[in-house]
Amino acid sequence: MSFRSAGVRRVGRKLIAVMSCVVLVACGGDPREHPYSTGGHSLEELLAHFELELPSCDVSDLRYADAGGPMSSGLYLTYGFPDNCLNAVIEVNGVEASEKRAQQGRDLPFSPPVVAELQWPIQDDTNYDRYGKSTRTWTVHLAIDPSTPRHTAFIQGLGD
C-alpha cells in the first residue's frame, strides 16, 4: 500500500462521514414534527396558512403534525405555556376571548382516533376553554385546560 492510496482512503472516509452528516441533517426534519405527519409543510408554513402564531412567552413541549393531503391542509399543534401567557396565546392566534366556550374533553371537535394517535392528554371529564375562528376555506379550533398553572394548548386547523 502506498502513501497515496492510504491518503485517498482517509479523504474518502472523511468525505463519506461529511456526506452522511449532510444527509442526516437534510432528511432528519423538524424534531418537533410528529411521525403522524402526512404532508410536506413546515410548521412556519402551516402557521401562516391558518393565520396562527406562537406566543413570545415560554413555550414548551411543542409538537405538531401536518395532516395535509393533495387537496387539503391540516395542522395539529400542541404546546405548554405558563398561566401569565394565556392572554398572549389567545391574542396571537386571533381568537376572541369573549367567544370562549367551556366544553368537556369528550365534546371537543377533535377526532378521537387522531387525539389517540397524537397522544394528546385530553381527558373526557375535564373542562376546557374552547375558542375558534374560520374563513371560507379553513377552520381553527383551540382548546386550553385552564385548571393547571402550566396550561396546554391543543390546536386543530383544517381546510383547503
Side-chain angles (χ1 to χ4, degrees), residues 3-159:
F3 176 76
R4 184 166 192 236
S5 62
V8 168
R9 255 189 240 127
R10 267 189 241 118
V11 169
R13 283 188 202 130
K14 288 180 182 178
L15 182 59
I16 289 170
V18 168
M19 291 304 292
S20 296
C21 291
V22 169
V23 168
L24 285 174
V25 169
C27 297
D30 188 337
R32 303 169 301 175
E33 186 172 12
H34 194 278
Y36 176 82
S37 287
T38 57
H41 300 94
S42 70
L43 177 59
E44 290 72 23
E45 291 170 322
L46 291 164
L47 291 172
H49 178 77
F50 290 106
E51 299 175 14
L52 299 168
E53 293 181 35
L54 294 175
S56 60
C57 58
D58 176 30
V59 169
S60 64
D61 304 319
L62 187 145
R63 292 295 302 239
Y64 77 97
D66 177 359
M71 300 298 286
S72 65
S73 57
L75 167 65
Y76 292 92
L77 171 66
T78 185
Y79 55 84
F81 61 92
D83 187 53
N84 64 359
C85 187
L86 181 58
N87 290 334
V89 170
I90 292 166
E91 184 178 312
V92 300
N93 286 298
V95 295
E96 292 294 326
S98 62
E99 295 184 20
K100 173 178 75 173
R101 293 189 295 177
Q103 280 190 311
Q104 288 194 317
R106 73 172 128 273
D107 299 324
L108 291 172
F110 306 135
S111 164
V114 173
V115 168
E117 177 71 31
L118 296 173
Q119 300 177 346
W120 282 5
I122 293 176
Q123 303 299 316
D124 284 349
D125 295 328
T126 298
N127 285 321
Y128 294 84
D129 292 340
R130 178 183 160 206
Y131 306 86
K133 67 179 183 177
S134 61
T135 68
R136 287 180 336 142
T137 59
W138 52 256
T139 301
V140 170
H141 298 287
L142 164 64
I144 297 171
D145 177 359
S147 67
T148 60
R150 182 126 186 115
H151 303 302
T152 301
F154 301 98
I155 301 171
Q156 169 188 270
L158 299 174

